[in-house]
Every structure is written in structure tokens, then in C-alpha cells.
Amino acid sequence: MTSTPEPVNDGREPEVRELADVPAVEVISRAAVMLMSSAAEKLGLSEPDPSESPYLDLDEARRVITALAGLVTASVEYLGPHAGPIREGLQALQKAFREASAHPDEPGKGPGEKYTGPVY
């Protein structure tokens, strides 16, 4: 009888995990980080001068920030020690959005603020 050998990960390929094995807090945190990264790109924050970024798109940034705010608000009780840094990142993006806007929204009307409350 022959058996199929188990594949060996020699460090060249990343480990693949089954989604069912990933804890919920990790899934939520990874989703939050992806949304934060997308918002930062759409705010032009990856460039020395954000106003000159070819990726600057405030309409798209508003959508992503609002989605992030909804995710964070809905899952904050499950995030444990991750909640603080994620909330701080969200607030920083909300402030960056206000700064990038030619006509900033009133406090409480900015992206995601219906979930987080006003950001000043």
C-alpha cells in the first residue's frame, strides 16, 4: 500500500488556513484593516501630497469609511483589545476626510458619523 505524502511547507508558500478555523475577531480585524487601507488610499494618504494622489476619490472614501464605521460599531464588543486601535484608525480617517474636503460636512454628517457620532 502506498499513501499520499502530506505536503510540506518549506517556507516558500504561505500557510493556508480553513476559514472555519479562523477566530471571528481575526476575521473582523482583517476586514477592518482592509477597509482602513482602502480608505487611506482613496484619501490619497499614501502620497507625500494627498491632494496630488491619482487615487484620490472622496466619494469612494466616504463609502469605505461608512462601511468601516458600521463594522466597528456592530462588532466593538467582540474586538477586545483590538477595539481601541481600530476605533482610533477610523477616527483618524474621518478627520482626514474632513481635511481633504473642499466643503467639509457638518459635525455628525461626515462619513460613518451616523454610527460613531460627531468627529471634530
Side-chain angles (χ1 to χ4, degrees), residues 25 28 69-84 86-87:
V25 67
I28 295 165
L71 174 66
V72 171
T73 301
S75 60
V76 71
E77 68 184 286
Y78 307 115
L79 293 173
H82 303 282
I86 291 173
R87 283 178 133 171

PDB file of all heavy atoms in Angstrom, residues 25 28 69-84 86-87:
ATOM      1  N   VAL A  25     -12.778  37.242  15.755  1.00  0.00           N
ATOM      2  CA  VAL A  25     -12.101  38.511  15.996  1.00  0.00           C
ATOM      3  C   VAL A  25     -11.033  38.770  14.938  1.00  0.00           C
ATOM      4  O   VAL A  25     -10.819  39.908  14.519  1.00  0.00           O
ATOM      5  CB  VAL A  25     -11.523  38.583  17.433  1.00  0.00           C
ATOM      6  CG1 VAL A  25     -10.394  37.594  17.623  1.00  0.00           C
ATOM      7  CG2 VAL A  25     -11.080  39.992  17.763  1.00  0.00           C
ATOM      8  N   ILE A  28     -12.879  39.791  11.637  1.00  0.00           N
ATOM      9  CA  ILE A  28     -13.372  41.168  11.750  1.00  0.00           C
ATOM     10  C   ILE A  28     -12.209  42.152  11.688  1.00  0.00           C
ATOM     11  O   ILE A  28     -12.278  43.160  10.972  1.00  0.00           O
ATOM     12  CB  ILE A  28     -14.178  41.346  13.056  1.00  0.00           C
ATOM     13  CG1 ILE A  28     -15.447  40.488  13.022  1.00  0.00           C
ATOM     14  CG2 ILE A  28     -14.534  42.813  13.280  1.00  0.00           C
ATOM     15  CD1 ILE A  28     -16.118  40.321  14.371  1.00  0.00           C
ATOM     16  N   ALA A  69     -17.123  52.171   9.674  1.00  0.00           N
ATOM     17  CA  ALA A  69     -17.802  52.629  10.894  1.00  0.00           C
ATOM     18  C   ALA A  69     -18.917  51.666  11.285  1.00  0.00           C
ATOM     19  O   ALA A  69     -19.081  51.351  12.473  1.00  0.00           O
ATOM     20  CB  ALA A  69     -18.365  54.037  10.688  1.00  0.00           C
ATOM     21  N   GLY A  70     -19.663  51.175  10.307  1.00  0.00           N
ATOM     22  CA  GLY A  70     -20.716  50.211  10.600  1.00  0.00           C
ATOM     23  C   GLY A  70     -20.155  48.918  11.160  1.00  0.00           C
ATOM     24  O   GLY A  70     -20.679  48.374  12.141  1.00  0.00           O
ATOM     25  N   LEU A  71     -19.076  48.428  10.565  1.00  0.00           N
ATOM     26  CA  LEU A  71     -18.437  47.200  11.039  1.00  0.00           C
ATOM     27  C   LEU A  71     -17.923  47.367  12.462  1.00  0.00           C
ATOM     28  O   LEU A  71     -18.165  46.531  13.329  1.00  0.00           O
ATOM     29  CB  LEU A  71     -17.291  46.794  10.109  1.00  0.00           C
ATOM     30  CG  LEU A  71     -16.443  45.610  10.560  1.00  0.00           C
ATOM     31  CD1 LEU A  71     -17.261  44.326  10.559  1.00  0.00           C
ATOM     32  CD2 LEU A  71     -15.215  45.467   9.666  1.00  0.00           C
ATOM     33  N   VAL A  72     -17.228  48.457  12.703  1.00  0.00           N
ATOM     34  CA  VAL A  72     -16.648  48.691  14.026  1.00  0.00           C
ATOM     35  C   VAL A  72     -17.742  48.845  15.075  1.00  0.00           C
ATOM     36  O   VAL A  72     -17.675  48.243  16.151  1.00  0.00           O
ATOM     37  CB  VAL A  72     -15.717  49.929  13.999  1.00  0.00           C
ATOM     38  CG1 VAL A  72     -15.281  50.321  15.398  1.00  0.00           C
ATOM     39  CG2 VAL A  72     -14.509  49.656  13.114  1.00  0.00           C
ATOM     40  N   THR A  73     -18.761  49.619  14.769  1.00  0.00           N
ATOM     41  CA  THR A  73     -19.844  49.832  15.724  1.00  0.00           C
ATOM     42  C   THR A  73     -20.568  48.531  16.038  1.00  0.00           C
ATOM     43  O   THR A  73     -20.876  48.247  17.199  1.00  0.00           O
ATOM     44  CB  THR A  73     -20.831  50.879  15.181  1.00  0.00           C
ATOM     45  OG1 THR A  73     -20.113  52.097  14.950  1.00  0.00           O
ATOM     46  CG2 THR A  73     -21.962  51.131  16.142  1.00  0.00           C
ATOM     47  N   ALA A  74     -20.807  47.729  15.024  1.00  0.00           N
ATOM     48  CA  ALA A  74     -21.540  46.472  15.220  1.00  0.00           C
ATOM     49  C   ALA A  74     -20.713  45.412  15.948  1.00  0.00           C
ATOM     50  O   ALA A  74     -21.276  44.525  16.584  1.00  0.00           O
ATOM     51  CB  ALA A  74     -22.005  45.925  13.876  1.00  0.00           C
ATOM     52  N   SER A  75     -19.402  45.502  15.868  1.00  0.00           N
ATOM     53  CA  SER A  75     -18.576  44.421  16.417  1.00  0.00           C
ATOM     54  C   SER A  75     -17.663  44.838  17.557  1.00  0.00           C
ATOM     55  O   SER A  75     -16.879  44.025  18.034  1.00  0.00           O
ATOM     56  CB  SER A  75     -17.731  43.818  15.288  1.00  0.00           C
ATOM     57  OG  SER A  75     -16.896  44.802  14.718  1.00  0.00           O
ATOM     58  N   VAL A  76     -17.780  46.057  18.033  1.00  0.00           N
ATOM     59  CA  VAL A  76     -16.851  46.561  19.045  1.00  0.00           C
ATOM     60  C   VAL A  76     -16.804  45.669  20.284  1.00  0.00           C
ATOM     61  O   VAL A  76     -15.737  45.456  20.869  1.00  0.00           O
ATOM     62  CB  VAL A  76     -17.162  48.034  19.405  1.00  0.00           C
ATOM     63  CG1 VAL A  76     -18.456  48.154  20.200  1.00  0.00           C
ATOM     64  CG2 VAL A  76     -16.001  48.654  20.155  1.00  0.00           C
ATOM     65  N   GLU A  77     -17.920  45.098  20.687  1.00  0.00           N
ATOM     66  CA  GLU A  77     -17.929  44.272  21.896  1.00  0.00           C
ATOM     67  C   GLU A  77     -17.132  42.980  21.732  1.00  0.00           C
ATOM     68  O   GLU A  77     -16.742  42.361  22.713  1.00  0.00           O
ATOM     69  CB  GLU A  77     -19.360  43.946  22.317  1.00  0.00           C
ATOM     70  CG  GLU A  77     -20.085  43.027  21.347  1.00  0.00           C
ATOM     71  CD  GLU A  77     -21.529  42.783  21.735  1.00  0.00           C
ATOM     72  OE1 GLU A  77     -21.759  42.029  22.705  1.00  0.00           O
ATOM     73  OE2 GLU A  77     -22.408  43.349  21.068  1.00  0.00           O
ATOM     74  N   TYR A  78     -16.874  42.567  20.503  1.00  0.00           N
ATOM     75  CA  TYR A  78     -16.148  41.325  20.252  1.00  0.00           C
ATOM     76  C   TYR A  78     -14.658  41.543  19.997  1.00  0.00           C
ATOM     77  O   TYR A  78     -13.909  40.581  19.935  1.00  0.00           O
ATOM     78  CB  TYR A  78     -16.738  40.594  19.042  1.00  0.00           C
ATOM     79  CG  TYR A  78     -18.218  40.388  19.139  1.00  0.00           C
ATOM     80  CD1 TYR A  78     -19.075  41.003  18.241  1.00  0.00           C
ATOM     81  CD2 TYR A  78     -18.773  39.593  20.138  1.00  0.00           C
ATOM     82  CE1 TYR A  78     -20.447  40.821  18.329  1.00  0.00           C
ATOM     83  CE2 TYR A  78     -20.138  39.411  20.237  1.00  0.00           C
ATOM     84  CZ  TYR A  78     -20.972  40.029  19.334  1.00  0.00           C
ATOM     85  OH  TYR A  78     -22.318  39.864  19.428  1.00  0.00           O
ATOM     86  N   LEU A  79     -14.258  42.789  19.805  1.00  0.00           N
ATOM     87  CA  LEU A  79     -12.884  43.074  19.398  1.00  0.00           C
ATOM     88  C   LEU A  79     -11.880  43.093  20.536  1.00  0.00           C
ATOM     89  O   LEU A  79     -10.673  43.061  20.290  1.00  0.00           O
ATOM     90  CB  LEU A  79     -12.833  44.397  18.630  1.00  0.00           C
ATOM     91  CG  LEU A  79     -13.542  44.385  17.287  1.00  0.00           C
ATOM     92  CD1 LEU A  79     -13.565  45.787  16.692  1.00  0.00           C
ATOM     93  CD2 LEU A  79     -12.891  43.407  16.337  1.00  0.00           C
ATOM     94  N   GLY A  80     -12.347  43.156  21.768  1.00  0.00           N
ATOM     95  CA  GLY A  80     -11.442  43.140  22.909  1.00  0.00           C
ATOM     96  C   GLY A  80     -10.373  44.205  22.798  1.00  0.00           C
ATOM     97  O   GLY A  80     -10.673  45.364  22.512  1.00  0.00           O
ATOM     98  N   PRO A  81      -9.090  43.845  22.977  1.00  0.00           N
ATOM     99  CA  PRO A  81      -8.020  44.838  22.951  1.00  0.00           C
ATOM    100  C   PRO A  81      -7.795  45.456  21.571  1.00  0.00           C
ATOM    101  O   PRO A  81      -7.122  46.476  21.458  1.00  0.00           O
ATOM    102  CB  PRO A  81      -6.781  44.053  23.403  1.00  0.00           C
ATOM    103  CG  PRO A  81      -7.104  42.629  23.129  1.00  0.00           C
ATOM    104  CD  PRO A  81      -8.592  42.497  23.272  1.00  0.00           C
ATOM    105  N   HIS A  82      -8.378  44.868  20.542  1.00  0.00           N
ATOM    106  CA  HIS A  82      -8.232  45.421  19.187  1.00  0.00           C
ATOM    107  C   HIS A  82      -9.164  46.614  18.967  1.00  0.00           C
ATOM    108  O   HIS A  82      -8.963  47.389  18.040  1.00  0.00           O
ATOM    109  CB  HIS A  82      -8.547  44.360  18.133  1.00  0.00           C
ATOM    110  CG  HIS A  82      -7.715  43.127  18.252  1.00  0.00           C
ATOM    111  ND1 HIS A  82      -6.418  43.063  17.810  1.00  0.00           N
ATOM    112  CD2 HIS A  82      -7.996  41.916  18.789  1.00  0.00           C
ATOM    113  CE1 HIS A  82      -5.934  41.858  18.065  1.00  0.00           C
ATOM    114  NE2 HIS A  82      -6.862  41.147  18.665  1.00  0.00           N
ATOM    115  N   ALA A  83     -10.184  46.756  19.790  1.00  0.00           N
ATOM    116  CA  ALA A  83     -11.201  47.793  19.579  1.00  0.00           C
ATOM    117  C   ALA A  83     -10.604  49.198  19.599  1.00  0.00           C
ATOM    118  O   ALA A  83     -10.914  50.017  18.730  1.00  0.00           O
ATOM    119  CB  ALA A  83     -12.312  47.676  20.626  1.00  0.00           C
ATOM    120  N   GLY A  84      -9.762  49.489  20.567  1.00  0.00           N
ATOM    121  CA  GLY A  84      -9.193  50.831  20.698  1.00  0.00           C
ATOM    122  C   GLY A  84      -8.415  51.276  19.467  1.00  0.00           C
ATOM    123  O   GLY A  84      -8.719  52.325  18.886  1.00  0.00           O
ATOM    124  N   ILE A  86      -8.481  50.125  16.436  1.00  0.00           N
ATOM    125  CA  ILE A  86      -9.330  50.177  15.240  1.00  0.00           C
ATOM    126  C   ILE A  86     -10.201  51.428  15.280  1.00  0.00           C
ATOM    127  O   ILE A  86     -10.352  52.124  14.269  1.00  0.00           O
ATOM    128  CB  ILE A  86     -10.159  48.890  15.094  1.00  0.00           C
ATOM    129  CG1 ILE A  86      -9.232  47.719  14.758  1.00  0.00           C
ATOM    130  CG2 ILE A  86     -11.244  49.048  14.023  1.00  0.00           C
ATOM    131  CD1 ILE A  86      -9.903  46.357  14.758  1.00  0.00           C
ATOM    132  N   ARG A  87     -10.750  51.747  16.442  1.00  0.00           N
ATOM    133  CA  ARG A  87     -11.560  52.966  16.566  1.00  0.00           C
ATOM    134  C   ARG A  87     -10.718  54.211  16.313  1.00  0.00           C
ATOM    135  O   ARG A  87     -11.173  55.155  15.673  1.00  0.00           O
ATOM    136  CB  ARG A  87     -12.186  53.047  17.954  1.00  0.00           C
ATOM    137  CG  ARG A  87     -13.366  52.139  18.130  1.00  0.00           C
ATOM    138  CD  ARG A  87     -13.885  52.264  19.537  1.00  0.00           C
ATOM    139  NE  ARG A  87     -15.323  52.408  19.510  1.00  0.00           N
ATOM    140  CZ  ARG A  87     -16.073  52.374  20.574  1.00  0.00           C
ATOM    141  NH1 ARG A  87     -15.531  52.223  21.772  1.00  0.00           N
ATOM    142  NH2 ARG A  87     -17.374  52.507  20.481  1.00  0.00           N
TER     143      ARG A  87
END
